[in-house]
Amino acid sequence: MPADRFSTATRLRALGGHAAARVYRARTRARPPRRGRLTGRAALLALVVCSLVVALAYPIRQYVSQRSDIADQRRQAERIREDVERLRDRKARLEDPAYIERLAREHLHYLRPGETGYSMLGPGDDDAERSDEDRSADQPWYGNLWGEVDTADAQR
């Protein structure tokens, strides 16, 4: 009978119990742990992975940067659309004669014929409360110059 047809367990039974014990002892003996060695395949795999990381780092960074730029441009375009809409509304209001008249009355103090306009001074418009700068603007330049010289002399 050829030996290939039988399993190991069948062969061991045929050899006897003593031989079987020796075979099982040999299989279960603690082998010293193998040292981890860097094989050629592992080194090549590590080299390929590192090359891919290096090769893809720059394009990925560019992609992320461009996505950020696109988002910024979209936000800016939305702001500009809102500004355009606001300016269109203002243009429509400025085409209304009543609105123009109201602006002229408020800001330019325009009056209609026959109306009497009054200007009231506010609390800060009194001559007594004017600052030195305002007073110096009313004097000629040489008066200001001599005033500064006198002030400098007085501080000595």
Side-chain angles (χ1 to χ4, degrees), residues 9 12 28 31 36 67 78 132 135 148 150:
L12 288 177
T28 58
R31 292 183 181 157
R67 295 295 295 176
E78 185 61 33
D132 290 336
R135 284 192 207 109
E148 294 293 325
D150 289 341

Side-chain angles (χ1 to χ4, degrees), residues 2-156:
D4 295 78
R5 289 184 45 192
F6 298 107
S7 68
T8 305
T10 307
R11 286 189 201 133
L12 288 177
R13 270 187 253 132
L15 290 174
H18 184 61
R22 279 190 305 175
V23 169
Y24 282 121
R25 258 186 276 139
R27 281 188 180 172
T28 58
R29 277 191 200 150
R31 292 183 181 157
R34 290 179 67 182
R35 255 181 69 215
R37 291 184 289 168
L38 184 64
T39 63
R41 284 184 179 175
L44 183 64
L45 180 63
L47 181 66
V48 168
V49 168
C50 289
S51 299
L52 285 174
V53 167
V54 169
L56 293 177
Y58 184 73
I60 288 174
R61 186 175 63 99
Q62 287 295 99
Y63 174 76
V64 170
S65 172
Q66 288 174 357
R67 295 295 295 176
S68 170
D69 291 344
I70 289 170
D72 290 343
Q73 293 293 325
R74 285 183 178 155
R75 281 192 293 272
Q76 184 179 2
E78 185 61 33
R79 266 194 313 255
I80 290 172
R81 276 190 213 103
E82 291 170 1
D83 288 345
V84 166
E85 188 63 33
R86 185 178 45 81
L87 291 172
R88 282 185 183 147
D89 290 344
R90 180 152 185 206
K91 179 184 174 191
R93 278 186 286 155
L94 288 174
E95 291 174 354
D96 182 20
Y99 182 73
I100 297 295
E101 181 181 344
R102 185 175 64 110
L103 287 178
R105 286 174 167 269
E106 287 176 7
H107 298 289
L108 302 175
H109 306 289
Y110 277 21
L111 300 173
R112 288 179 172 239
E115 291 181 345
T116 304
Y118 296 97
S119 292
M120 298 183 64
L121 297 177
D125 294 337
D126 230 3
D127 276 344
E129 295 179 5
R130 289 178 60 187
S131 67
D132 290 336
E133 273 185 25
D134 292 339
R135 284 192 207 109
S136 66
D138 294 339
Q139 296 178 357
W141 67 270
Y142 50 85
N144 291 334
L145 177 66
W146 283 118
E148 294 293 325
V149 170
D150 289 341
T151 306
D153 284 343
Q155 289 178 356
R156 276 186 151 178

